[in-house]
Amino acid sequence: MKLELFSYWRSSASWRVRLALRLKNLPYATVPVHLLKAGGEQFAPEYRAISPEALVPSLRDEAWSLSQSLAICDYLEAVYPERPLLPAQPRRAAEVRSFCALIACDIHPLNNLRVLRYLSDEIKLSDEQKSAWYRHWIGTGFTALEARLANRATPFAFGPEPGLAECFLIPQLYNARRYDCALEAYPALTEIDARCATLPAFVAAHPDQQIDCPHA
């Protein structure tokens, strides 16, 4: 088995998959795709052959490849079921997928690099206006995430161990801090983040630990 992850060190979508791979203890090789260098390596024809949408991450398993972090995590869960990231009960598993989709489909797309670039380059928003946009959508999404965890009785989002929910939550909290979003209103989210911070899988998957991190 040789898994290859096409990734950018600070991409939160790539980070989700790194966490899933680490929590499942699956060996993989990182193939860096620099999102800023030379206008963005994700637009190169060689990478578009793997990801026509020109986004990271993509996962290659032998000669077969797949893009989109949600789909990649579902694939890993199905093909490598050891160390599961989802609860066994269908309803609980659906709750986790819904939590992850709120991040991947509702929060992140409105705040990712290409959207922020469009706001600056095409709509001509100032940096202050762009940050206000970012914080608005973080607040809307995080309020919903916090409400979903309000009555939890476990140390992590949906169980006694971190799973797929944490793979999606932790990178989004990192992004929020980069934009100085206030997080005091989300004690459940930040408590889970603090619990994950020292776990080996989360330490290894952190952007600062990636081979393409300029500060490494």
Side-chain angles (χ1 to χ4, degrees), residues 11-34:
S11 157
S12 58
S14 299
W15 189 353
R16 299 165 192 160
V17 178
R18 290 198 302 266
L19 282 168
L21 289 162
R22 293 283 181 178
L23 287 171
K24 283 185 164 292
N25 200 28
L26 293 172
Y28 69 97
T30 297
V31 182
V33 179
H34 202 294

Side-chain angles (χ1 to χ4, degrees), residues 161-195:
E161 302 292 338
L164 196 64
E166 284 73 23
C167 294
F168 282 69
L169 174 62
I170 302 311
Q172 198 61 59
L173 283 164
Y174 174 92
N175 286 349
R177 291 189 177 100
R178 282 185 62 210
Y179 280 82
D180 297 321
C181 298
L183 300 178
E184 292 80 6
Y186 316 112
L189 305 186
T190 55
E191 179 187 326
I192 291 166
D193 183 51
R195 283 202 173 96

Side-chain angles (χ1 to χ4, degrees), residues 99-171:
F99 185 93
C100 295
L102 199 162
I103 295 169
C105 303
D106 291 353
I107 302 174
H108 178 250
L110 292 167
N111 288 330
N112 73 0
L113 177 62
R114 60 180 178 169
V115 170
L116 296 178
R117 276 180 169 171
Y118 188 84
L119 293 175
S120 297
D121 299 344
E122 302 297 329
I123 302 181
K124 307 301 182 184
L125 294 190
S126 66
D127 288 344
E128 183 179 345
Q129 290 171 316
K130 189 172 65 173
S131 294
W133 164 283
Y134 193 104
R135 293 179 187 127
H136 170 77
W137 294 115
I138 285 289
T140 299
F142 278 15
T143 297
L145 293 174
E146 182 75 15
R148 292 192 184 200
L149 300 183
N151 298 317
R152 86 184 202 283
T154 56
F156 293 95
F158 293 93
E161 302 292 338
L164 196 64
E166 284 73 23
C167 294
F168 282 69
L169 174 62
I170 302 311

